[in-house]
Amino acid sequence: MATEDVPSLTPNQILALVVLMSEARELDNNELKALAGFSLTGNDNKKLETLGVIQTDRSHRPFSHELTDKGWRVMRDLHTTEPPKAGKSATRTLLTLLGNIHRSLEQLQVTHGVKLSEGEFFRQVRGESVEGAVLGETAGDAEAQVRAAYAELAPGPGEWVGLADLRDKLASLERAEVDRALMALLDRGDVRIIPVANTKALKPRDIAAALRIGGEDNHTLSIGRS
């Protein structure tokens, strides 16, 4: 996304987007108020929706909000824009932090070959997949089952296995359990989960089995070094 494509935002709009990014999940207005000090309503909500950077679920109260794919792209480039004058030092500090995060993720790609999206990064920071976190017996067991199922499906270590096939193999587990296990495994050095480049080749079962990470659907899993 070019710098000129990043929208002009108010300090509150930037803050709401930063909180949604840092949590990397859907937040309702009560949660947003607790984290940011305000609910996302009125003109701020309307503008962010109109820009297509968030989606708001009004099927329940309090309303909830989540970054869209475009929203994640905007957050990746937001630090390149001039901060709003009204925001003063606080907004400038946020944009500086976003720039440092973006550069750090790029450096990981260059130095270690690790492609980590902003969504994956913040999920790990929150502790959903940080190595050494207390995941509980159920989560640990689910991770072990994912690894066992992968070993049965893959021709060898490091080979790619479709998440649709993996989910079929793990039919005894709830989808949410499998998702949590996959997200936890992402922090391990030998695990990769990526999208399929040729989306036209995807079958309905592949689309349904996708794992959403950082605003992007991912379809294949690799464990180990080939």
Side-chain angles (χ1 to χ4, degrees):
M1 178 177 290
T3 301
E4 58 268 21
D5 292 332
V6 179
S8 175
L9 301 169
T10 67
N12 267 15
Q13 290 162 3
I14 290 174
L15 183 55
L17 293 178
V18 168
V19 172
L20 289 172
M21 178 188 71
S22 64
E23 285 296 296
R25 62 186 176 91
E26 186 176 54
L27 293 175
D28 66 36
N29 273 330
N30 288 345
E31 294 174 300
L32 196 56
K33 187 171 184 178
L35 293 168
F38 62 90
S39 300
L40 187 53
T41 59
N43 291 333
D44 285 336
N45 188 190
K46 182 178 180 181
K47 180 174 180 179
L48 294 179
E49 272 197 295
T50 300
L51 289 170
V53 296
I54 67 164
Q55 56 185 14
T56 297
D57 183 357
R58 293 183 173 80
S59 65
H60 55 82
R61 287 186 178 275
F63 297 160
S64 58
H65 319 277
E66 188 172 16
L67 287 179
T68 61
D69 290 347
K70 181 180 178 181
W72 282 104
R73 293 195 298 272
V74 165
M75 295 310 294
R76 205 155 49 227
D77 291 325
L78 191 58
H79 68 281
T80 64
T81 64
E82 185 66 23
K85 293 180 180 179
K88 298 184 179 180
S89 60
T91 307
R92 289 181 180 274
T93 301
L94 277 178
L95 296 184
T96 299
L97 177 61
L98 291 177
N100 287 334
I101 290 171
H102 181 69
R103 283 189 292 274
S104 296
L105 292 175
E106 284 188 331
Q107 188 63 29
L108 278 174
Q109 174 74 26
V110 172
T111 58
H112 299 290
V114 177
K115 186 177 181 182
L116 194 66
S117 73
E118 282 83 352
E120 292 168 327
F121 172 79
F122 282 106
R123 283 190 178 90
Q124 291 185 19
V125 170
R126 283 214 328 274
E128 287 187 6
S129 57
V130 176
E131 190 169 2
V134 179
L135 299 174
E137 292 183 5
T138 302
D141 183 60
E143 287 183 46
Q145 290 187 58
V146 167
R147 286 185 176 275
Y150 172 85
E152 290 185 37
L153 292 167
E159 297 292 335
W160 293 102
V161 167
L163 292 185
D165 292 336
L166 182 79
R167 292 190 190 280
D168 286 348
K169 200 78 173 174
L170 298 169
S172 61
L173 295 179
E174 296 288 338
R175 183 185 178 107
E177 286 184 88
V178 177
D179 287 354
R180 284 193 295 270
L182 290 170
M183 292 302 301
L185 286 168
L186 271 177
D187 194 50
R188 313 302 191 254
D190 63 337
V191 177
R192 295 180 66 200
I193 302 174
I194 65 170
V196 168
N198 181 15
T199 55
K200 292 182 179 179
L202 292 173
K203 298 177 181 177
R205 65 189 292 268
D206 298 313
I207 296 171
L211 179 66
R212 193 81 167 171
I213 304 173
E216 185 175 38
D217 285 337
N218 295 263
H219 313 93
T220 59
L221 166 71
S222 169
I223 300 179
R225 305 297 182 188
S226 56

